[in-house]
Amino acid sequence: MRSAGTVAELVQRQWGDHRPGLRHEDTVLSHHQVASGAAARAALLADLLPAGSEPHLGVMLDNTPEFPLWLSAAALAGAAVAGINPTRRGAELVRDIMHTECRVLITERAHLPLLDGLALPGVRVLVTDTEEYAGLLAPTPGRNRATRSSPPPGPEPGCCSTSPRVPPVRPRPPCAPRDGSPRPAGRSSTTSVSGVRTSTTSACRCSTATR
């Protein structure tokens, strides 16, 4: 069996493979469902990133299927992933998010209290275990997104079936010098979110089946 050259190629090769690929508690996703879920998220990321911005994605998630799905989505989209540490608080957490130039932050309701009241200019926050998030991933007629069909029976909620060969995120603009020179200002909108409880976690430990 030939080896995949990149992570994106590895994800694409899972298309059409309906053997179990990821297990998490009572959830079992096939390799195909992982690839299709990743493609749906990659297309959403391409929609949400501001024009001309660095394709940087922040991930602050527990050990759920969303973690590997977004890692795979970033690979398909050609985006860089910044792992946001939920043990950080206040100004340190803001610095982690803004210093890595994340334009989209993926999190869940358990971590919303950490973001409550924080000013995150130009950062779009997606909360995975919400109806709004499920709606963003749902197929919408007329939307300029990769073609999708109904997911196969039993996928993780919000995991839609789509071709994994989605258009890549816009090319990265040249990086600014690291001698202290300021970067051009980005969008100035401020995001503030709130939630109900807190939690901490480390790296994702979802079980993935080997081919």
Side-chain angles (χ1 to χ4, degrees):
M1 182 177 65
R2 69 178 184 87
S3 60
T6 65
V7 174
E9 291 172 357
L10 179 62
V11 174
Q12 291 170 349
R13 283 173 50 188
Q14 313 312 306
W15 189 257
D17 185 344
H18 297 283
R19 294 175 297 172
L22 186 148
R23 299 179 187 273
H24 178 263
E25 297 178 348
D26 295 331
T27 298
V28 179
L29 300 181
S30 69
H31 291 286
H32 177 85
Q33 288 171 332
V34 172
S36 64
R41 287 156 179 79
L44 175 60
L45 179 61
D47 282 352
L48 295 180
L49 283 173
S53 68
E54 295 276 6
H56 293 177
L57 168 70
V59 175
M60 186 168 66
L61 293 169
D62 284 335
N63 303 316
T64 68
E66 288 290 340
F67 203 122
L69 284 170
W70 273 106
L71 292 180
S72 300
L76 292 176
V81 176
I84 305 302
N85 190 339
T87 66
R88 309 279 267 183
R89 297 293 186 273
E92 290 185 344
L93 183 58
V94 171
R95 182 187 180 280
D96 288 350
I97 297 170
M98 302 307 295
H99 179 71
T100 51
E101 300 183 331
C102 296
R103 292 296 174 256
V104 178
L105 174 63
I106 311 299
T107 190
E108 55 197 79
R109 285 185 292 181
H111 295 313
L112 283 179
L114 303 179
L115 303 177
D116 192 19
L118 300 184
L120 301 172
V123 179
R124 175 69 181 270
V125 179
L126 299 184
V127 186
T128 59
D129 45 353
T130 62
E131 292 184 2
E132 179 184 4
Y133 176 77
L136 289 173
L137 286 174
T140 303
R143 174 173 279 180
N144 184 19
R145 187 80 63 85
T147 302
R148 305 183 201 176
S149 60
S150 299
E156 176 261 336
C159 178
C160 300
S161 177
T162 179
S163 168
R165 299 185 182 277
V166 296
V169 172
R170 309 163 191 86
R172 301 186 187 188
C175 294
R178 299 189 179 278
D179 58 0
S181 302
R183 284 183 178 269
R187 295 193 176 184
S188 59
S189 60
T190 298
T191 302
S192 178
V193 292
S194 61
V196 292
R197 62 189 180 89
T198 188
S199 176
T200 59
T201 186
S202 56
C204 178
R205 295 186 293 274
C206 293
S207 173
T208 55
T210 58
R211 299 297 303 276

